[in-house]
Amino acid sequence: MKNLIFCIGCLLFSFSLSAQWTFGPKVSYGTITQKTSHIEVIPQTDYIVYDLQYVGSTAVTSIGFMAAKDLGPVFLQGECLATTYGSDFFLNGYKDNRDNPSVYRETYYFLEIPFSAGVNVKNFKIGLGPVMDVRVDQNSELSTMDDYRDTSKSVDFGFQAMVGYNINIFHFDLRYVNKFTSIVDGFSLGYDNFRYTKSANRLSMSVGVAF
């Protein structure tokens, strides 16, 4: 992981030596695209049968900084954004909540570091690139359950596609981020396995100002 971060840093530094970058603040608002669905539970200990469902997410909000550079017909763009959103899970029949089915929220706080490269078409831009999410904190209402385990990773990855439009110093971007991990990879109840492969992919609209 350290080698990957070092390589990304070297790449950005090499670009900065050969071209003048513009920098500025950026804000973003989006949504998690995954729909409500049932999560199959494979018990590993006392074989308790319970119902677990993903029932939706809050809005995805971000604030941070961007750096951009036009190189003729192509562009480069990097960002560092403080991002947060929450995911809701319905739980029924698990130990302490057998008589009290409820919806529990997991809230995530992380630094989102996307990098894009692509083509300019007049004022429009179309790009692709990797996204790195660095965990800052995670709060879970599920932690009140017996045997709750936080299994989230300190660093997570994804891939993004972006369509943008520039007006002078203003950058308007529509981004879709496809994450490489499942929605339920961040927690477990005991050592039960959750058979669910859908990711918390996010679609967001952002506005940045680069000087």
Side-chain angles (χ1 to χ4, degrees):
M1 183 57 59
K2 291 182 179 179
N3 291 336
L4 176 61
I5 296 174
F6 177 77
C7 291
I8 293 174
C10 289
L11 180 62
L12 294 176
F13 180 72
S14 66
F15 285 138
S16 67
L17 291 178
S18 59
Q20 181 63 44
W21 287 71
T22 56
F23 299 87
K26 190 170 193 180
V27 295
S28 176
Y29 185 88
T31 184
I32 300 298
T33 59
Q34 178 56 33
K35 299 182 182 300
T36 300
S37 56
H38 180 265
I39 298 169
E40 183 181 0
V41 179
I42 311 298
Q44 299 297 308
T45 52
D46 47 8
Y47 301 98
I48 295 173
V49 177
Y50 54 93
D51 183 20
L52 180 63
Q53 300 177 40
Y54 167 72
V55 295
S57 293
T58 66
V60 184
T61 57
S62 304
I63 184 170
F65 297 92
M66 64 172 292
K69 177 58 188 176
D70 285 338
L71 299 170
V74 301
F75 75 92
L76 303 171
Q77 183 170 309
E79 302 164 32
C80 184
L81 305 170
T83 301
T84 183
Y85 71 91
S87 292
D88 294 333
F89 299 91
F90 173 81
L91 182 63
N92 182 27
Y94 181 79
K95 295 185 177 180
D96 292 346
N97 86 325
R98 288 184 182 180
D99 300 320
N100 184 31
S102 301
V103 173
Y104 300 85
R105 175 166 293 173
E106 291 228 320
T107 305
Y108 316 102
Y109 305 90
F110 55 95
L111 286 179
E112 181 184 0
I113 306 174
F115 183 80
S116 298
V119 297
N120 288 312
V121 182
K122 295 185 178 180
N123 287 354
F124 289 93
K125 57 187 177 184
I126 303 172
L128 299 170
V131 179
M132 181 169 65
D133 293 342
V134 181
R135 170 181 162 163
V136 175
D137 195 11
Q138 178 172 318
N139 296 326
S140 178
E141 295 177 355
L142 282 165
S143 62
T144 60
M145 297 291 101
D146 280 350
D147 302 325
Y148 169 85
R149 297 171 59 234
D150 181 350
T151 59
S152 58
K153 300 177 180 178
S154 58
V155 179
D156 197 6
F157 293 94
F159 195 80
Q160 71 168 356
M162 181 184 72
V163 177
Y165 185 77
N166 297 344
I167 304 177
N168 297 321
I169 62 173
F170 296 98
H171 293 249
F172 300 92
D173 298 330
L174 180 66
R175 297 193 303 133
Y176 180 79
V177 177
N178 184 80
K179 296 198 64 170
F180 295 158
T181 55
S182 166
I183 287 177
V184 295
D185 281 351
F187 72 93
S188 181
L189 298 176
Y191 290 90
D192 293 349
N193 292 329
F194 300 147
R195 187 169 293 174
Y196 189 77
T197 59
K198 301 296 184 181
S199 301
N201 300 331
R202 50 189 186 262
L203 179 68
S204 61
M205 180 69 193
S206 60
V207 180
V209 181
F211 302 94

